[in-house]
Amino acid sequence: MTTIQPSPTDSTTPVATEARHDGRQELLRVAIIGNPNTGKTTLFNALTGLRQRVGNFAGVTVERVEGGFKGPDGRRITVLDLPGSYSLSAGSPDEQVALEVLLHRDADRWTPDVVLVVIDAVHLERNLFLASQVLELGIPVVIALNQFDVAQDEGIAIDVPELIHELGVPIVPTVAKRGEGLDPLKRALITAASLPAPARKFVLPADVEDALAPLKSCLVEAGLTPTAAGMEALRLLSVSKSEPHLVTVPQLQVQIQDAMATLKNRGFTPNRLESEVRYAWIAGVIERTVSRPRTIKQNLSDQIDRIALHRVLGPVIFLVLMAVVFQAVFSWATPLMDGIEVLIGALGGAVGDRMADGDLKSLVVDGVFGGVGSVLVFLPQIAILFAFITLLEHSGYMARAAFLMDRIMRTVGLHGKSFIPMLSGYACAVPGVMATRTIEDPKDRLATIMVVPLMSCSARLPVYTLLIGAFVPATSLIPGLTLQGATMLGMYLLGTVAALAVAAIFKRTLLKGPVRPMILELPPYRLPSAWSLLVSVAQRCQLFLRRAGTVILALSIVLWAMATYPKSAVDASLPAEAQQEQQLEHSVLGQIGHAIEPVVRPLGYDWKIGVSIAASFAAREVFVSTMGTIYGVGSENEAALTEKLVAETNPVTGQRVYTPLVAIGLMVFYVFALMCISTVAVTVREAGGGALGWKWATIQFGYMLVLAYVAAWIVYAGGTALGWGG
């Protein structure tokens, strides 16, 4: 049995990092890390508010969120929100990113001056494992003892002064969702920057220290501080797969194998050594600092889970919640959409009235207001969808959804943990693909990446809403649910079922492998912070607006030019709309459309739909702006575009171009087709980069396009055969 003893005070502990000595006295860099479900992101949002920027770590696509605030002393404090990690074991790509930053191996050279470790006060024992690793990195540390109010409500008494004594770093109780403890926390971060960095709080047996000494020396030569090398040497004993830096450091792999062999000869189990020594120390800390009530009553979360996780009621509740979400997307957003439509119409009309007739006016009114405005009107629906997804995630229900889906996911070769990135795909496929980094098994991660884009993302909402609003009546099915809401839910369910079916095919062919058991923490149910919800929704809306103001604007201008030139002679005796149609027929866009038409005609589409589909390969929502540009709705936006689509007829046959059957087939096409350059790019990088990444991205794009075409053809041909084509 290994004996762990407290370490003596070490006055020679290395102080801080090189970043603290480069003359940047006005900037303090703080990296925030913690286990999932500790309220880390809520605390980050509370500290930084909306003063954040989102990007990616260099060389990887894990989302990088930075924010900042001004400290009590006037100093500028920059905060980097590291991915949630249970430890620094680097078992997943997310944990690998956190380790790279904390060991100063980040490609961006983002070197923290202070590390803020967020700990769940209710689950102190489990959270202290990560904290104990961070304490050994040679960087000043502050601990936020978050959800302190929940611990008190459950009768858990934590002796904070004694805990400070045990860990040797500032500890601040916080309630992030209510903003409690923020001021003391900010002061602690500034104070910690001038304190000596902490060191290991326990002593390893002499035999272990001797066995690890050569490995530690090798790591110090590779650039780590002595304290960080001690942590890394102990961690590497349990590493089961190669990491990038193991290849670049000469003799490191040899030293790891030698250390493991020596420890085995001395009676230790190397891959369990770190967890044994850390948890032995943690047990002593908990015994001296925490007292719990003798009788543990069933908490509210357990009582709710008896219903929410029921084998029958659980899936029904999940389905009802999804129906509420999609019905709300229609009913709640309507007043806001009408308001935006009136505002855009007024702005477009005011600008158009002050311009002389001609191409410039057409560009502004039809190209800019008609293209971008037709997409901006859907912002309320996207905001509502993001709000619901964020609410489900922050409340703790998202983990339950993954648990409920585990039984279904296992039948297709995955486990419930893969469903979390798929649920994220409802908002956007890009973060959904990036969220697969929490999946340890490479084949499971790749299979999930390949199907995430099948989940209907928010970019499909403008397409669904336009077509459902025009061709699906708002007939009430049951109280609170209309045929429109049910159709929207049907599109999302279709994508989800297809994703599961395709995942089963991949896991039985190209990515065949065993089904691994799922280990998933179910966080307690919480009422999310209104501010945190606002920040999350605002960030996503900003990204949507940025795309509307860049990609969609640029494409709208290009499409307007293609629809306007070259100029051709038109019959002046015809009505204005007929003249516009004649000009459009002979334009570059019209010529391209007629070339595409034979390909899309079997699906019931005309050349205008074909052009809009082709344009939306950049981004799905461009379909709506392209239709707005083609039909020249100007600033009148959705209502006018809907009227145009409903009234559109084939000039030869006189039949309506758009019917409910065509609309359903078009929505089915967009359920399956991968119309998003950003998703292709992130798949390339997440699937391995280079030729390997492009191989998987090509397979993904190809199978989704074929699936979309075949499914849309089946809908149109089958519906026509049944007499539903009118």
Side-chain angles (χ1 to χ4, degrees):
M1 179 70 182
T2 304
T3 303
I4 309 299
Q5 301 175 347
S7 63
T9 302
D10 185 0
S11 60
T12 62
T13 300
V15 180
T17 65
E18 60 182 74
R20 295 180 59 213
H21 300 289
D22 63 1
R24 292 176 298 148
Q25 299 300 322
E26 297 303 318
L27 176 65
L28 182 69
R29 286 186 163 190
V30 176
I32 180 169
I33 192 172
N35 288 184
N37 305 312
T38 57
K40 175 179 68 72
T41 300
T42 302
L43 183 60
F44 172 80
N45 288 336
L47 286 170
T48 62
L50 290 171
R51 298 174 295 278
Q52 304 170 11
R53 68 182 183 88
V54 180
N56 290 325
F57 288 93
V60 295
T61 50
V62 175
E63 188 172 78
R64 171 184 187 142
V65 184
E66 284 187 39
F69 61 91
K70 186 172 288 187
D73 63 350
R75 185 186 309 189
R76 177 70 180 169
I77 299 177
T78 300
V79 185
L80 174 65
D81 188 13
L82 293 175
S85 306
Y86 287 106
S87 71
L88 297 181
S89 63
S92 69
D94 268 357
E95 292 176 347
Q96 180 68 36
V97 166
L99 182 65
E100 293 294 309
V101 171
L102 296 178
L103 289 180
H104 308 161
R105 292 198 295 254
D106 176 33
D108 281 359
R109 305 305 302 163
W110 205 104
T111 305
D113 303 316
V114 180
V115 180
L116 174 58
V117 183
V118 183
I119 288 179
D120 181 358
V122 181
H123 304 100
L124 193 60
E125 183 173 8
R126 183 176 67 233
N127 283 227
L128 280 177
F129 189 95
L130 172 64
S132 70
Q133 291 179 313
V134 176
L135 289 173
E136 299 173 16
L137 294 175
I139 309 173
V141 173
V142 173
I143 290 178
L145 200 57
N146 199 32
Q147 299 170 142
F148 200 71
D149 58 330
V150 179
Q152 291 177 322
D153 292 342
E154 294 187 10
I156 301 172
I158 301 175
D159 188 340
V160 177
E162 180 61 25
L163 189 60
I164 293 174
H165 174 74
E166 291 282 347
L167 302 186
V169 296
I171 299 176
V172 181
T174 60
V175 182
K177 66 180 181 180
R178 295 204 298 259
E180 296 178 9
L182 295 186
D183 289 338
L185 184 60
K186 292 175 181 178
R187 290 194 294 270
L189 291 172
I190 294 172
T191 301
S194 59
L195 295 176
R200 178 174 288 161
K201 301 304 175 184
F202 52 84
V203 174
L204 291 173
D207 286 349
V208 175
E209 287 282 10
D210 291 342
L212 294 180
L215 177 56
K216 286 175 61 177
S217 298
C218 182
L219 290 166
V220 170
E221 291 176 5
L224 296 185
T225 63
T227 50
M231 187 285 298
E232 182 74 338
L234 191 59
R235 183 189 73 84
L236 289 174
L237 295 177
S238 58
V239 172
S240 59
K241 59 182 180 180
S242 61
E243 297 174 5
H245 66 280
L246 301 185
V247 179
T248 59
V249 180
Q251 296 299 311
L252 181 56
Q253 192 63 55
V254 174
Q255 294 291 354
I256 294 172
Q257 296 301 323
D258 289 348
M260 294 178 70
T262 302
L263 288 169
K264 284 181 181 179
N265 292 334
R266 296 178 180 180
F268 296 95
T269 306
N271 63 348
R272 288 166 39 192
L273 182 61
E274 182 182 25
S275 60
E276 288 176 352
V277 297
R278 292 195 187 281
Y279 278 119
W281 169 74
I282 289 170
V285 172
I286 296 297
E287 183 180 358
R288 293 186 291 272
T289 60
V290 180
S291 61
R292 299 178 182 273
R294 292 187 177 182
T295 58
I296 301 176
K297 61 181 181 179
Q298 189 180 46
N299 58 37
L300 181 61
S301 293
D302 294 333
Q303 296 174 32
I304 295 174
D305 281 342
R306 293 179 63 183
I307 300 173
L309 299 182
H310 191 272
R311 291 176 64 88
V312 177
L313 292 178
V316 172
I317 291 171
F318 176 67
L319 193 61
V320 170
L321 281 175
M322 293 297 101
V324 170
V325 170
F326 299 125
Q327 180 60 40
V329 165
F330 264 102
S331 57
W332 296 6
T334 300
L336 296 173
M337 293 175 67
D338 291 343
I340 293 177
E341 194 169 316
V342 170
L343 178 60
I344 294 175
L347 288 174
V351 172
D353 290 343
R354 287 166 173 76
M355 299 181 69
D357 291 340
D359 287 352
L360 181 58
K361 178 178 179 179
S362 175
L363 169 62
V364 173
V365 176
D366 298 329
V368 176
F369 284 95
V372 178
S374 59
V375 174
L376 285 179
V377 74
F378 298 102
L379 179 61
Q381 290 185 319
I382 291 171
I384 289 173
L385 178 63
F386 279 128
F388 269 105
I389 290 176
T390 305
L391 180 64
L392 293 175
E393 188 175 33
H394 288 194
S395 66
Y397 184 78
M398 195 72 89
R400 271 78 181 178
F403 178 83
L404 289 170
M405 290 299 297
D406 182 61
R407 185 171 49 174
I408 298 175
M409 297 293 287
R410 293 179 71 81
T411 63
V412 303
L414 298 173
H415 53 60
K417 202 169 183 180
S418 292
F419 195 64
I420 295 178
M422 292 169 68
L423 281 175
S424 300
Y426 281 149
C428 180
V430 171
V433 170
M434 292 193 296
T436 61
R437 285 181 156 264
T438 61
I439 302 171
E440 290 84 0
D441 184 75
K443 289 185 176 179
D444 286 352
R445 184 163 63 248
L446 188 53
T448 308
I449 288 172
M450 297 301 287
V451 301
V452 163
L454 286 169
M455 311 298 281
S456 284
C457 65
S458 59
R460 292 174 169 102
L461 264 180
V463 181
Y464 294 163
T465 302
L466 176 68
L467 297 172
I468 291 174
F471 299 101
V472 178
T475 306
S476 178
L477 299 178
I478 58 175
L481 181 64
T482 65
L483 184 58
Q484 291 181 331
T487 303
M488 179 77 80
L489 176 61
M491 292 300 119
Y492 278 78
L493 288 178
L494 177 61
T496 304
V497 171
L500 295 175
V502 173
I505 294 172
F506 274 114
K507 285 295 293 180
R508 286 165 173 75
T509 54
L510 298 178
L511 299 171
K512 190 174 183 179
V515 181
R516 300 176 181 274
M518 180 182 72
I519 301 176
L520 181 68
E521 178 185 2
L522 295 180
Y525 288 101
R526 301 187 184 97
L527 187 63
S529 161
W531 178 250
S532 183
L533 282 175
L534 175 63
V535 170
S536 297
V537 173
Q539 286 177 345
R540 296 304 176 186
C541 288
Q542 286 174 2
L543 292 175
F544 173 77
L545 291 173
R546 192 176 304 146
R547 183 149 66 171
T550 53
V551 175
I552 296 174
L553 175 61
L555 285 173
S556 295
I557 293 173
V558 171
L559 289 167
W560 170 86
M562 293 173 66
T564 304
Y565 301 105
K567 294 287 188 179
S568 62
V570 297
D571 188 345
S573 64
L574 294 175
E577 288 191 5
Q579 292 183 35
Q580 180 185 3
E581 180 77 18
Q582 200 175 66
Q583 164 60 34
L584 189 60
E585 288 274 351
H586 295 91
S587 67
V588 172
L589 195 63
Q591 294 174 40
I592 294 174
H594 286 297
I596 294 173
E597 190 169 26
V599 178
V600 299
R601 176 54 66 186
L603 309 182
Y605 308 156
D606 68 353
W607 69 269
K608 296 177 184 177
I609 300 178
V611 165
S612 299
I613 289 175
S616 67
F617 276 99
R620 295 178 181 94
E621 59 267 53
V622 171
F623 174 86
V624 178
S625 62
T626 305
M627 297 294 279
T629 300
I630 288 175
Y631 285 100
V633 297
S635 58
E636 299 164 90
N637 297 310
E638 189 198 2
L641 181 55
T642 298
E643 292 175 4
K644 293 270 190 180
L645 297 183
V646 172
E648 180 78 353
T649 57
N650 187 308
V652 178
T653 64
Q655 295 179 332
R656 293 191 181 278
V657 173
Y658 299 91
T659 64
L661 182 61
V662 171
I664 295 297
L666 191 52
M667 285 189 286
V668 168
F669 182 90
Y670 272 93
V671 166
F672 296 127
L674 179 52
M675 305 293 210
C676 183
I677 290 176
S678 299
T679 302
V680 173
V682 77
T683 297
V684 170
R685 298 179 67 180
E686 289 296 332
L692 179 62
W694 277 109
K695 167 193 167 184
W696 286 109
T698 302
I699 292 173
Q700 183 186 61
F701 185 88
Y703 94 75
M704 290 183 69
L705 184 59
V706 171
L707 186 60
Y709 192 94
V710 171
W713 178 81
I714 290 173
V715 169
Y716 181 72
T720 301
L722 293 172
W724 297 344

